[in-house]
PDB file of all heavy atoms in Angstrom:
ATOM      1  N   ALA A 245      27.855   6.425  15.253  1.00 98.00           N
ATOM      2  CA  ALA A 245      28.400   5.346  14.395  1.00 98.00           C
ATOM      3  C   ALA A 245      28.345   5.780  12.938  1.00 98.00           C
ATOM      4  O   ALA A 245      29.261   5.501  12.151  1.00 98.00           O
ATOM      5  CB  ALA A 245      27.593   4.068  14.594  1.00 98.00           C
ATOM      6  N   TYR A 246      27.302   6.515  12.572  1.00 98.00           N
ATOM      7  CA  TYR A 246      27.175   6.977  11.183  1.00 98.00           C
ATOM      8  C   TYR A 246      28.245   8.026  10.861  1.00 98.00           C
ATOM      9  O   TYR A 246      29.022   7.878   9.909  1.00 98.00           O
ATOM     10  CB  TYR A 246      25.774   7.554  10.928  1.00 98.00           C
ATOM     11  CG  TYR A 246      25.641   8.096   9.525  1.00 98.00           C
ATOM     12  CD1 TYR A 246      25.339   7.256   8.459  1.00 98.00           C
ATOM     13  CD2 TYR A 246      25.896   9.438   9.247  1.00 98.00           C
ATOM     14  CE1 TYR A 246      25.264   7.727   7.168  1.00 98.00           C
ATOM     15  CE2 TYR A 246      25.844   9.918   7.954  1.00 98.00           C
ATOM     16  CZ  TYR A 246      25.524   9.065   6.918  1.00 98.00           C
ATOM     17  OH  TYR A 246      25.478   9.536   5.632  1.00 98.00           O
ATOM     18  N   TYR A 247      28.331   9.066  11.685  1.00 98.00           N
ATOM     19  CA  TYR A 247      29.223  10.184  11.343  1.00 98.00           C
ATOM     20  C   TYR A 247      30.709   9.846  11.549  1.00 98.00           C
ATOM     21  O   TYR A 247      31.584  10.546  11.059  1.00 98.00           O
ATOM     22  CB  TYR A 247      28.817  11.459  12.092  1.00 98.00           C
ATOM     23  CG  TYR A 247      27.559  12.065  11.516  1.00 98.00           C
ATOM     24  CD1 TYR A 247      26.339  12.012  12.200  1.00 98.00           C
ATOM     25  CD2 TYR A 247      27.563  12.645  10.255  1.00 98.00           C
ATOM     26  CE1 TYR A 247      25.183  12.536  11.651  1.00 98.00           C
ATOM     27  CE2 TYR A 247      26.408  13.168   9.691  1.00 98.00           C
ATOM     28  CZ  TYR A 247      25.214  13.107  10.396  1.00 98.00           C
ATOM     29  OH  TYR A 247      24.066  13.620   9.845  1.00 98.00           O
ATOM     30  N   ARG A 248      30.971   8.701  12.237  1.00 98.00           N
ATOM     31  CA  ARG A 248      32.370   8.233  12.342  1.00 98.00           C
ATOM     32  C   ARG A 248      32.895   7.906  10.944  1.00 98.00           C
ATOM     33  O   ARG A 248      34.089   7.951  10.679  1.00 98.00           O
ATOM     34  CB  ARG A 248      32.432   6.981  13.229  1.00 98.00           C
ATOM     35  CG  ARG A 248      33.518   7.064  14.324  1.00 98.00           C
ATOM     36  CD  ARG A 248      33.872   5.761  14.979  1.00 98.00           C
ATOM     37  NE  ARG A 248      32.790   4.818  15.191  1.00 98.00           N
ATOM     38  CZ  ARG A 248      31.997   4.787  16.257  1.00 98.00           C
ATOM     39  NH1 ARG A 248      32.133   5.737  17.193  1.00 98.00           N
ATOM     40  NH2 ARG A 248      31.064   3.868  16.398  1.00 98.00           N
ATOM     41  N   GLN A 249      31.989   7.633  10.023  1.00 98.00           N
ATOM     42  CA  GLN A 249      32.388   7.288   8.648  1.00 98.00           C
ATOM     43  C   GLN A 249      32.480   8.527   7.746  1.00 98.00           C
ATOM     44  O   GLN A 249      32.654   8.400   6.540  1.00 98.00           O
ATOM     45  CB  GLN A 249      31.360   6.328   8.029  1.00 98.00           C
ATOM     46  CG  GLN A 249      31.065   5.107   8.854  1.00 98.00           C
ATOM     47  CD  GLN A 249      32.298   4.228   9.016  1.00 98.00           C
ATOM     48  OE1 GLN A 249      33.112   4.148   8.107  1.00 98.00           O
ATOM     49  NE2 GLN A 249      32.444   3.616  10.185  1.00 98.00           N
ATOM     50  N   VAL A 250      32.281   9.704   8.323  1.00 98.00           N
ATOM     51  CA  VAL A 250      32.253  10.921   7.499  1.00 98.00           C
ATOM     52  C   VAL A 250      33.433  11.806   7.892  1.00 98.00           C
ATOM     53  O   VAL A 250      33.480  12.305   9.029  1.00 98.00           O
ATOM     54  CB  VAL A 250      30.932  11.696   7.708  1.00 98.00           C
ATOM     55  CG1 VAL A 250      30.915  12.976   6.888  1.00 98.00           C
ATOM     56  CG2 VAL A 250      29.738  10.811   7.375  1.00 98.00           C
ATOM     57  N   SER A 251      34.382  11.989   6.979  1.00 97.00           N
ATOM     58  CA  SER A 251      35.585  12.754   7.344  1.00 97.00           C
ATOM     59  C   SER A 251      35.207  14.205   7.616  1.00 97.00           C
ATOM     60  O   SER A 251      34.430  14.815   6.870  1.00 97.00           O
ATOM     61  CB  SER A 251      36.618  12.658   6.229  1.00 97.00           C
ATOM     62  OG  SER A 251      36.075  13.188   5.042  1.00 97.00           O
ATOM     63  N   GLY A 252      35.703  14.718   8.731  1.00 97.00           N
ATOM     64  CA  GLY A 252      35.480  16.108   9.085  1.00 97.00           C
ATOM     65  C   GLY A 252      34.159  16.373   9.782  1.00 97.00           C
ATOM     66  O   GLY A 252      33.818  17.518  10.053  1.00 97.00           O
ATOM     67  N   ALA A 253      33.412  15.304  10.080  1.00 98.00           N
ATOM     68  CA  ALA A 253      32.115  15.510  10.735  1.00 98.00           C
ATOM     69  C   ALA A 253      32.316  15.875  12.195  1.00 98.00           C
ATOM     70  O   ALA A 253      33.169  15.316  12.874  1.00 98.00           O
ATOM     71  CB  ALA A 253      31.269  14.246  10.628  1.00 98.00           C
ATOM     72  N   THR A 254      31.545  16.827  12.680  1.00 98.00           N
ATOM     73  CA  THR A 254      31.569  17.150  14.114  1.00 98.00           C
ATOM     74  C   THR A 254      30.144  17.426  14.574  1.00 98.00           C
ATOM     75  O   THR A 254      29.302  17.861  13.779  1.00 98.00           O
ATOM     76  CB  THR A 254      32.386  18.429  14.406  1.00 98.00           C
ATOM     77  OG1 THR A 254      31.783  19.507  13.664  1.00 98.00           O
ATOM     78  CG2 THR A 254      33.829  18.281  13.988  1.00 98.00           C
ATOM     79  N   ASN A 255      29.903  17.205  15.855  1.00 97.00           N
ATOM     80  CA  ASN A 255      28.608  17.515  16.436  1.00 97.00           C
ATOM     81  C   ASN A 255      28.704  18.944  16.955  1.00 97.00           C
ATOM     82  O   ASN A 255      29.299  19.181  18.000  1.00 97.00           O
ATOM     83  CB  ASN A 255      28.274  16.544  17.567  1.00 97.00           C
ATOM     84  CG  ASN A 255      26.823  16.710  18.025  1.00 97.00           C
ATOM     85  OD1 ASN A 255      26.102  17.551  17.489  1.00 97.00           O
ATOM     86  ND2 ASN A 255      26.435  15.919  18.993  1.00 97.00           N
ATOM     87  N   SER A 256      28.156  19.883  16.193  1.00 97.00           N
ATOM     88  CA  SER A 256      28.385  21.303  16.480  1.00 97.00           C
ATOM     89  C   SER A 256      27.309  21.878  17.397  1.00 97.00           C
ATOM     90  O   SER A 256      26.120  21.871  17.053  1.00 97.00           O
ATOM     91  CB  SER A 256      28.384  22.090  15.161  1.00 97.00           C
ATOM     92  OG  SER A 256      28.038  23.441  15.413  1.00 97.00           O
TER      93      SER A 256
END
Side-chain angles (χ1 to χ4, degrees):
Y246 177 83
Y247 286 108
R248 229 195 324 273
Q249 307 297 326
V250 178
S251 60
T254 59
N255 190 0
S256 156

